[in-house]
Amino acid sequence: MTSEETPVGTLPGTGALLDVRDLSTRFDSPRGAVRAVSNVSLSLERGQTLGIVGESGSGKSVLSRTIMGLLPRSTASVTGEIIFEGEDISGFSDDQYRQFWGTEMAMIFQDPMTALNPVMKIGKQITESLRRHMGMDRTTAHDTAVELLRSVRIPEPAKRFDVYPHQLSGGMRQRVVIAVALACGPRLLLADEPTTALDVTIQAQILDLLEDQQRERYMAMILVTHDLGVVAGRAHKIAVMYAGRIVESAPTRKLFADMKMPYTEALMSAIPRLDAPPHTKLSAIRGRPPQLVNPGPGCAFAPRCPYARDLCSEERPVLRPVEDDPDHLFACHYPVDSAESIEIKDHLRAEQMVAEAAGGGDSDGW
Amino acid sequence: MGLLRRLLQLIVTVVAVTFFSALLLQLLPGDPVEVLAPFSSEEQRDVIREDLGLDDPFVVRYAGWLGGFVTGDMGNYYTVSSKRPVSDRVADALPISLQLMIYSQLISLAFAIPVGVYAAARKGRIFDKFSNATAFAMLAIPNFALALLLQYFLGVKWQLFPTSGYTKITEDPSMHFQQMVLPCVTLAVGQFAVYMRLLRSDMIATLQQDFILLAKSKGMSSRRILFRHALRPSSLTLLTVAGLSVGTLIGGALIVEVLFQIPGMGLMLAEAIATRQMVAFQSLIAIVAILYVLVNFGVDLLYSALDPRIRHDRTR
């Protein structure tokens, strides 16, 4: 099977595989321009995984589609640079992208129930790109597709080749979507919430599968998710997005050890933990995601931030590195470990203890 | 199982259609014999009355017709000078009507599919706006006006096609097709507009789907995405409406048949009504109804060919 080797010509090279510089995506709407992605810069090495984390509406899906070049040109205006293998692809025409899609970059979508063509056999959905990009004949493409189905751990792949998507379960369909994406050996895989629509028991299987495939193929991956827990053990780097901007980014270990941005902290405390005592209330981030039309001058998270001060709603913090660590970037005036925030945190904790004592330990009481 | 239900549906449709249309015919004033044979003797009139069952009560007459129809006897068709079995006349007229129907469907679909697909793909742009405006204009023109326009310009002025008449395909294929061009185009124009609009809106919905984005992200060409990925799941409404218009095209092409002098079913039906020939009329209506139900049965089979989800629902 050819796809088990690294694709030809992708010896571990020098420099980043993907280098996004100052990328912004804007949609024109009747209410004004929607700034879905603003001034995002990020880079990704070959074979590595970047996790992009944020809640709904943070612009992470638009970002991945912008990188992929999949947004409709008529409505989305993109500025900035997307450098892939040393070449700026942001100005590519659809024809140029067509040579790129599938072979260099591929994408996995959130909902496997709608991502496959319902009236086409799944085998055919894999072979059509093999035949187009790799110039395979019918039999070779068929055999390769069966191998791909086997590699994504679909039982009895030869038989499954001829079934339609509705005959498979959600987890199986997502495996097929992965096989479709992997067919032509892309160097970069964009997985847009690949497990969100799946049963919890299937999620880990799919994530493990993606990780194995990625390692085998020495493929870079961008894993977009709203769940910090999904990327925790899998991504080399994590970028946290809020209101279309990256608000904190760092190698995974550093981010978890020393998070600076209150939003990251809030996402973190929304993950259920095994070591927490039973019936601990999961904390939710209060308020709503910000609107992206006519954003105010300050930090977009300020209205929801427990540590926000006057400065936060007046001036937007720039993305800056942590003092002795250029890899760890954050955008906050009063990071989580600043004296000001600790003061507020202590204060909040004291208040909560008082409330708990008064309410008989029932912190749920309104 | 499904077949039995179909058969029952067929019977109910045919009986209901013929019964109620016969009832309507009953309401028309005047003595049919007076219209059919104005110069005949009293004895001849009695024979005709006897044959058509005009002296029997309505229900008896209807039952008599039904009994005959089921055993293959469709009764007689009278003209001023002669009488022939309805089945003979149908054998002549039905193929003509079928040809008219099939050709016009083919023409309208042949244009509606590509235009609908591209209009959806270029939604809101020049091609889309232009084709929409054209479609509305086409819907607004009545059949007879269009027929006269086509006859005048393409037939008389530029002498491209004959303006009227019908030749059997077995006699002179070239003449047959030349003569069919104008009537079929007349019928096809309105159909085209409807089909095109339907397909366009279904295509627009389909093109929003994730699987289209997946096909795009695989690097498929836009033509392949439109015709191989999007067209099939978008064609069910189009197919339904195309099936439903079959009845109108077979029995209801009267104006076109008159204007182009084509002896089809529509013309015969109109004659039968004008001359109050209940038996012949019921037989003709019954045939159109049967064809209609059969074609729509075929449409249902096509659904499952187009969409495997329907296929597997059936077998389950």
Side-chain angles (χ1 to χ4, degrees):
Chain A
M1 184 185 145
T2 51
S3 48
E4 252 165 24
E5 303 152 16
T6 20
V8 187
T10 51
L11 290 167
T14 49
L17 175 71
L18 177 75
D19 201 354
V20 172
R21 290 180 196 159
D22 203 28
L23 189 70
S24 299
T25 307
R26 217 184 58 211
F27 296 99
D28 289 321
S29 85
R31 295 180 300 132
V34 180
R35 298 176 56 87
V37 174
S38 303
N39 313 97
V40 165
S41 297
L42 48 86
S43 72
L44 180 58
E45 306 290 323
R46 280 155 235 275
Q48 298 226 320
T49 301
L50 168 70
I52 297 181
V53 186
E55 65 196 314
S56 318
S58 60
K60 55 198 193 310
S61 282
V62 174
L63 174 62
S64 61
R65 280 171 201 207
T66 306
I67 293 172
M68 197 62 192
L70 276 176
L71 293 173
R73 281 153 199 275
S74 48
T75 55
S77 57
V78 176
T79 55
E81 287 174 29
I82 304 165
I83 293 156
F84 186 86
E85 294 273 17
E87 188 183 6
D88 184 7
I89 60 169
S90 62
F92 267 19
S93 68
D94 268 358
D95 271 340
Q96 283 172 301
Y97 264 123
R98 260 190 280 282
Q99 300 306 315
F100 225 72
W101 285 327
T103 54
E104 301 290 330
M105 285 185 188
M107 191 155 186
I108 299 172
F109 296 88
Q110 178 170 346
D111 188 357
M113 306 313 255
T114 58
L116 291 167
N117 189 333
V119 303
M120 202 185 263
K121 290 177 179 172
I122 60 162
K124 172 98 182 156
Q125 301 192 43
I126 301 174
T127 54
E128 64 172 358
S129 50
L130 290 174
R131 298 196 61 181
R132 180 185 154 86
H133 292 299
M134 322 287 265
M136 289 185 189
D137 61 42
R138 195 176 286 272
T139 32
T140 321
H142 175 277
D143 296 345
T144 311
V146 170
E147 275 317 307
L148 275 161
L149 289 175
R150 193 191 311 284
S151 73
V152 295
R153 297 171 208 153
I154 287 181
E156 300 186 275
K159 253 191 212 167
R160 294 283 186 277
F161 185 90
D162 283 318
V163 306
Y164 289 95
H166 70 272
Q167 293 168 290
L168 298 175
S169 66
M172 282 295 148
R173 286 190 216 186
Q174 194 63 306
R175 287 167 198 270
V176 174
V177 174
I178 293 171
V180 168
L182 296 178
C184 299
R187 280 181 252 206
L188 172 63
L189 182 69
L190 286 117
D192 186 359
E193 304 249 10
T195 58
T196 305
L198 297 176
D199 206 314
V200 186
T201 51
I202 309 292
Q203 289 187 0
Q205 289 177 22
I206 295 290
L207 289 168
D208 288 345
L209 171 68
L210 279 172
E211 212 179 343
D212 291 349
Q213 289 293 324
Q214 178 196 13
R215 202 172 300 131
E216 266 172 39
R217 293 159 192 267
Y218 198 64
M219 176 176 72
M221 181 156 79
I222 294 181
L223 190 56
V224 177
T225 176
H226 63 271
D227 184 354
L228 207 49
V230 163
V231 288
R234 300 173 201 273
H236 298 88
K237 267 201 298 196
I238 292 176
V240 178
M241 275 187 89
Y242 190 80
R245 290 175 193 275
I246 290 184
V247 292
E248 181 160 14
S249 79
T252 308
R253 197 177 299 268
K254 279 184 195 161
L255 185 85
F256 280 93
D258 182 25
M259 53 187 61
K260 297 285 180 197
M261 175 69 194
Y263 180 62
T264 315
E265 188 189 51
L267 281 178
M268 186 66 190
S269 54
I271 307 175
R273 299 180 62 101
L274 276 179
D275 54 5
H279 308 293
T280 303
K281 196 186 171 204
L282 266 180
S283 72
I285 306 176
R286 64 201 173 100
R288 289 156 188 251
Q291 59 148 353
L292 300 167
V293 183
N294 301 320
C299 169
F301 189 58
R304 304 169 71 186
C305 181
Y307 315 131
R309 289 164 184 252
D310 290 348
L311 179 62
C312 297
S313 48
E314 283 157 14
E315 189 188 310
R316 191 175 51 239
V318 291
L319 194 63
R320 58 190 162 117
V322 172
E323 221 157 275
D324 49 353
D325 186 359
D327 287 345
H328 188 168
L329 302 168
F330 70 102
C332 187
H333 293 306
Y334 305 106
V336 175
D337 53 359
S338 67
E340 290 90 341
S341 294
I342 289 172
E343 186 189 319
I344 293 180
K345 205 184 283 183
D346 288 344
H347 183 68
L348 287 175
R349 197 171 292 147
E351 259 184 6
Q352 196 186 351
M353 277 161 72
V354 171
E356 268 172 32
D362 181 13
S363 58
D364 277 20
W366 289 84
Chain B
M1 182 49 212
L3 212 63
L4 207 71
R5 219 188 66 223
R6 288 279 159 190
L7 201 66
L8 200 72
Q9 189 189 340
L10 180 72
I11 293 166
V12 171
T13 310
V14 171
V15 170
V17 166
T18 53
F19 185 83
F20 287 108
S21 50
L23 204 61
L24 274 178
L25 206 59
Q26 179 78 3
L27 297 174
L28 287 177
D31 183 0
V33 183
E34 199 63 52
V35 186
L36 283 175
F39 306 112
S40 53
S41 66
E42 204 48 49
E43 290 81 48
Q44 287 172 308
R45 290 181 180 218
D46 283 341
V47 175
I48 297 174
R49 283 210 178 87
E50 174 64 38
D51 184 30
L52 295 179
L54 291 179
D55 296 328
D56 298 331
F58 173 75
V59 178
V60 175
R61 206 184 324 157
Y62 180 77
W65 166 80
L66 192 62
F69 186 79
V70 173
T71 53
D73 174 15
M74 298 189 202
N76 286 317
Y77 189 86
Y78 288 85
T79 60
V80 174
S81 55
S82 69
K83 133 186 147 172
R84 277 175 67 199
V86 172
S87 46
D88 279 14
R89 293 285 308 257
V90 168
D92 288 341
L94 189 58
I96 299 175
S97 282
L98 286 178
Q99 283 164 349
L100 208 55
M101 183 269 289
I102 291 169
Y103 297 159
S104 54
Q105 291 277 48
L106 286 179
I107 295 173
S108 49
L109 287 173
F111 286 91
I113 291 173
V115 174
V117 167
Y118 279 112
R122 290 165 175 67
K123 184 183 140 204
R125 295 207 252 156
I126 294 285
F127 180 83
D128 184 33
K129 285 181 177 155
F130 179 75
S131 60
N132 279 341
T134 315
F136 281 121
M138 285 174 162
L139 278 174
I141 301 178
N143 255 349
F144 63 88
L146 182 67
L148 292 175
L149 281 174
L150 289 175
Q151 280 177 325
Y152 176 67
F153 284 105
L154 298 182
V156 179
K157 209 166 178 191
W158 297 323
Q159 304 270 323
L160 293 172
F161 302 102
T163 53
S164 64
Y166 176 80
T167 312
K168 278 189 182 164
I169 189 167
T170 44
E171 267 169 34
D172 182 352
S174 150
M175 193 60 195
H176 168 82
F177 285 115
Q178 282 183 43
Q179 284 176 333
M180 287 305 251
V181 169
L182 295 187
C184 289
V185 168
T186 308
L187 286 174
V189 161
Q191 304 283 346
F192 160 80
V194 174
Y195 295 168
M196 192 281 274
R197 295 284 304 168
L198 279 176
L199 182 61
R200 174 187 172 273
S201 62
D202 280 8
M203 277 292 285
I204 288 174
T206 305
L207 290 174
Q208 311 271 324
Q209 301 272 319
D210 276 356
F211 67 83
I212 296 299
L213 207 58
L214 181 74
K216 196 177 169 189
S217 77
K218 286 194 288 192
M220 296 294 115
S221 67
S222 13
R223 184 197 280 199
R224 193 177 170 91
I225 290 173
L226 290 175
F227 287 96
R228 297 299 293 271
H229 284 270
L231 179 57
R232 237 172 86 175
S234 313
S235 56
L236 294 185
T237 320
L238 173 65
L239 188 69
T240 310
V241 175
L244 292 178
S245 62
V246 160
T248 327
L249 286 172
I250 294 178
L254 173 67
I255 293 169
V256 168
E257 287 178 18
V258 171
L259 287 173
F260 290 98
Q261 291 296 296
I262 296 167
M265 294 287 282
L267 212 54
M268 230 171 111
L269 265 167
E271 252 174 44
I273 295 170
T275 54
R276 323 265 196 286
Q277 297 189 61
M278 208 170 93
V279 174
F281 173 72
Q282 280 166 200
S283 301
L284 296 176
I285 284 283
I287 287 167
V288 174
I290 289 169
L291 274 173
Y292 184 78
V293 174
L294 286 180
V295 167
N296 283 290
F297 181 39
V299 165
D300 273 14
L301 291 179
L302 268 177
Y303 280 157
S304 27
L306 282 174
D307 194 333
R309 286 167 295 183
I310 299 172
R311 198 182 314 157
H312 293 112
D313 269 356
R314 287 263 164 81
T315 51
R316 223 176 272 149

